[in-house]
Amino acid sequence: MFGYRLARRDKPLPGGQFLAFAIGLAVALVAGAILLVATGFNPIEIYIEMADSAFGGSQAISNTLTQAVPLGLAGLAVAVAGSMGLWNIGAEGQIIAGAIAGTWIARLGPDLPGPLLIVIMLVAAVVGGGLLALGPAIAKAHLGVNEIITTLMLNEIALRLVRYLVNGPWQDPTAIGFPVAPVLPEQAALPTLFSRANVGVIIAAIVLVIFGVFASRSKWGFELRVAGSSAQAAEYVGISLRAKIMTVLILSGAIAGLAGGIRLTSSDRIVEGIAEGWGFAGIIVAALALMRPSGVALVAIAFGALRVGGTAIQTQGVSDSISEIIQALVLMGALAAAVFTAYEITRSGSGTGVPTGAESISGSAEASAEATP
Amino acid sequence: MTAVELEGIWKRFPGVIANAGASLSVRSGTVHAVLGENGAGKTTLMNVLAGVYAADDGTVRLDGVEHQFANPAAAIAAGVGMVYQEFRLIPTFTVAENVALGAAPTIVAKGSIEKQVAELADRFGLATEPGRQIWQLSMGERQRVEILKALWRDANVLILDEPTAVLTPAEAQELGRITKTMSSEGRSIIFISHKLDEVKAFCDEATVLRGGKTVASSLSVTDLDAGRMAELMVGEATAVSQRRVRTTAVGNTALSVENAKVVDVHGRAVVDGVSLTVGAGEIVGIAGVAGNGQRPLADALAGLTALEAGTVTVDGTDLTTSSPRDRNAAGLAYVPEDRLGVGLAPRMDAVENAMMRNYTTLGNGFFIDRNAASNQAESLIERYQIKVGKLDAPLAGLSGGNLQRLLVGRELDGDPKVLIAAQPTRGLDVQGVAAIQKILVEQAAAGVGILLISEDLEELFALSDRLLVMHEGMISNDFDPDTATRQAVGAAMTGA
């Protein structure tokens, strides 16, 4: 009881979060440099190579943006729920559900004209992702069942479903036993925008801007933030928590489903690994954006660049382990910065024990833990 | 033989002195009542004895031996057990597991622990089933588990902090019998209570605290009557607040409540057939010891919880089934007891908190007009002299007085017909109290009907036109503050 603990800041961080991120990044890069030197590389050259491969030229930028699309949408899905204090850990499964729904449409209408087919596939993906979140939404809104558990478990169900489909009913008969579905019709591929980037970038950008604006400026977004700040305050002003939980969780699933739809129409067929961890990466993106939908796009691009750069330096001879450690260090530095933007370290056990207003919020786990001597 | 001796205990918290030289002496084998109003320092004193707080000054002696407890574990080791108002049990563990948790000698077979717990329970007549999980138990049964926990650790001094607050009358009687059994074995029980009948029925002696000091020690309960007890607890009039002078006549009925009934999650009636009216321009005070239904009544009137029975009418409009938002639109404003967390959202800024009642009307369509929102916040800040740092900083850093001015100001901004103010000045400093009371008086003069729920009798006597006393979910008395004595009101609060 006489240790240190994290407490939510009452006042904003001095110097602002940009300074915090700069420090986090600097610490990470120095730590990475030590690793690079120890394994015989010039860190400056490697870092320049990372930056160049992520931002130097249109091909580099197209690679970064292509990575940023699923990161941004998955991150948005998590952040929309997170802005009212809900955790959607099921973006991974919802991406798969979206891709399954899109594939189903392509199988039903393989001869539809391209734009129409793509639009219907994406709409189906949105519906598919939303449907996967429907159960957790109902359980949370009406029975108070923890949405972290239900959304997480549905990831496994979605994964088993796609595995069954590509090994069974949807297996490509020409693939001589490989667990893949047949290739999609050619017109189901999203048109190219420039270099390797396709129209998915535009779709994601529009969705991110709309939600960014709505979350921070609209009455709907305000209600979300009130509910996220204090459920009791929301009920006090007459915001229906049940209705909000339902719409927000389903919407969150739908956004992740769209990410699945774009992944599908950016590749030639559905495979077991269609989600590739994008959904889980979305949790990191949302955390780095401090659960603010308006901050997701920037974080997604930075994260995408990090992945592109991390892959590129492997062609310089840096081992994949070192590359992944550097990526992880940068993410940890940024996450630490995000944490210290919202929290500060205080001495605990000074024995005052007087609850301040902030600690009495809605009988939260934090507050009741502190009440125990 | 003196089991417990606390002498000259001082305990200061930032801005508050909880104990100012309090003392307590408990004889072995007795049940000793500790009485006092909310904030009198009872719980702090008990926490010092239980090792939760280290006293700033003073001595703690058990059976004549001086102790300085570094933590609760040290107090437990010395034989002091405390049963808190909020139980500290693990819901998914069984009774036996909770009892033995952290105090089992080695790894022991489950059956053996259950048998030992059952034997201990039998010895003290504590009806319990060691194999059941806590979440399946009633509040009375859970309390017995807490008592068993203390007995398991061989507590010689058992502190019960308002033990009957969560119990049904039958369970309270049962508890009284259990404490007698324990004291007849030579153990000492400290019984914190507000209720005179229980003190007289269950306890041998009583110590009264007021303002962090001991005002009467080890009185025999046979010498204690309602008037004396209330006088000791409440004290003489200190004339801090001036009596309000009414300048306008009471108008039409602004708020009318008929036969309101509210039940808690356990199905107990916490508000039981309350009827009251508040006229326009009238301040009706509700006095009562905490936990006698004031908060559920206020929450139900504001629409946060549903009424089991009864009606609520504001200015002639029946709002019994209306949502909180519709009630607010119909002219019902509410300053809840928890100003930060219910009335205000701590992680949002002043502008956002100022617009929580009327954001739907700021700006057309989907979006909020941010200029209008800022202007509204600035005008509240100016009008009620609220000291905020930056407009866009989270509220959690503001002082209680500034938070309350913002909350009260926002609630009055919509020109309500009725204001329900629950504990509006609790925890504020002198200027803060004066500022809020001034606002209430001004609003009453302007024709707002105010239902003032407070634990501060001075405030109620100074401001109210009528003074109701709430006891066990019912309005037990209706006093005229100009003629009633504090003793009479205090006695009514304790159920005499």
Side-chain angles (χ1 to χ4, degrees), chain B residues 277-437:
Chain B
T277 60
V278 181
E282 188 181 31
I283 299 182
V284 174
I286 294 187
V289 170
N292 274 283
Q294 302 95 315
R295 184 180 180 148
L297 173 66
D299 280 350
L301 295 185
L304 303 192
T305 54
L307 280 179
E308 185 78 7
T311 58
V312 180
T313 311
V314 168
D315 201 32
T317 312
D318 187 335
L319 298 177
T320 308
T321 56
S322 303
S323 70
R325 184 168 292 168
D326 290 344
R327 287 178 204 230
N328 189 252
L332 180 76
Y334 179 31
V335 174
E337 194 175 318
D338 286 343
R339 55 188 74 114
L340 197 60
V342 178
L344 300 167
R347 299 209 286 278
M348 302 186 88
D349 61 32
V351 175
E352 291 173 318
N353 271 287
M355 69 179 178
M356 274 173 60
R357 282 296 192 190
N358 69 344
Y359 65 92
T360 50
T361 62
L362 294 173
N364 301 317
F366 290 116
F367 294 99
I368 291 170
D369 180 341
R370 288 155 76 90
N371 285 333
S374 298
N375 292 342
Q376 169 174 297
E378 277 165 6
S379 85
L380 274 184
I381 286 166
E382 194 186 316
R383 192 160 150 206
Y384 294 99
Q385 294 162 18
I386 305 160
K387 290 191 192 69
V388 292
K390 286 166 69 181
L391 273 184
D392 59 354
L395 276 194
L398 296 191
S399 76
N402 283 309
L403 288 173
Q404 191 69 331
R405 278 197 282 263
L406 176 61
L407 173 56
V408 170
R410 182 192 73 202
E411 289 302 296
L412 294 171
D413 213 27
D415 292 327
K417 299 186 169 70
V418 174
L419 172 69
I420 298 168
Q423 319 294 352
T425 59
R426 180 156 79 190
L428 304 187
D429 59 16
V430 178
Q431 292 94 330
V433 170
I436 297 296
Q437 289 182 346

Side-chain angles (χ1 to χ4, degrees), chain B residues 99-108 113 152-153:
Chain B
V99 168
L101 185 65
T106 48
I107 299 168
V108 192
I113 289 272
W152 180 264
R153 288 157 179 77

Side-chain angles (χ1 to χ4, degrees), chain B residues 460-493:
Chain B
L460 289 168
F461 270 100
L463 299 185
S464 307
D465 293 306
R466 285 187 293 131
L467 180 51
L468 309 178
V469 173
M470 202 162 176
H471 182 254
E472 290 185 351
M474 289 177 266
I475 301 291
S476 60
N477 299 74
D478 186 344
F479 290 102
D480 176 351
D482 287 324
T483 56
T485 64
R486 280 159 181 73
Q487 283 70 19
V489 175
M493 284 165 62

Side-chain angles (χ1 to χ4, degrees), chain B residues 131 184 189 198 246 276 281 310 366 374 430 438 469 473 492:
Chain B
S184 66
I189 289 105
E198 284 170 12
R246 166 196 294 297
L276 57 87
F366 290 116
S374 298
V430 178
K438 183 162 166 270
V469 173

